[in-house]
Structures are given as C-alpha cells and as structure tokens.
C-alpha cells in the first residue's frame, strides 16, 4: 500500500495550518509578554518558527513510515 497524492496534499495543508497556529500563538504570546516587561516571553517568541517547522517534519515522518521499503 503506497501513499496517495491526496495524502501528500493533506500532509502539506495540515503541516502549514498546524505550524501557523502553533508558531503564531507562541510568537504572539511571547511578544505580548516581552512588550509588557516580562523577559520570559522571549523564551516563547524566539523558538516559534523552529517549533512550527518541527511539527511539519514529524507529520512527514509519520507519512513516510507508510511507504514501502526500497532497496538502493
């Protein structure tokens, strides 16, 4: 059983939406705290983009496990 084109499209959309929501939330809350003088907000704001990317990577790995093994 292989991966279909539809599943790849859904993976891209899911990774984009989840990344935008999680990264945007971390960035918004972190900058809100930093602007109000709480320096701990930078701990949320600075890693927002890498965390968003990691979510897409994890979703792609889950889909890649379903691919049949190929020999080189």
């Amino acid at each position: 059983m292989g991966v279909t084109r539809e599943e790849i499209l859904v993976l891209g959309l899911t990774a984009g939406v989840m990344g935008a929501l999680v990264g945007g939330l971390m960035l918004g809350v972190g900058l809100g705290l930093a602007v109000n003088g709480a320096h701990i907000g930078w701990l949320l704001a600075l890693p927002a983009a890498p965390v968003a990317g990691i979510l897409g990577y994890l979703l792609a790995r889950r889909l890649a496990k379903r691919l049949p093994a190929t020999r080189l």
Side-chain angles (χ1 to χ4, degrees):
M1 179 176 171
V3 176
T4 65
R5 202 170 176 179
E6 176 188 357
E7 290 171 326
I8 294 172
L9 178 63
V10 169
L11 167 71
L13 292 172
T14 304
V17 170
M18 283 183 60
L21 288 175
V22 171
L25 183 65
M26 286 178 68
L27 184 65
V29 170
L31 286 178
L33 287 169
V35 165
N36 287 322
H39 297 294
I40 193 107
W42 290 111
L43 291 176
L44 285 173
L46 292 178
V51 167
I54 288 171
L55 287 174
Y57 176 74
L58 293 175
L59 287 170
R61 283 191 58 154
R62 188 177 73 182
L63 183 63
K65 285 182 183 178
R66 295 183 48 204
L67 289 173
T70 58
R71 294 184 183 177
L72 296 176

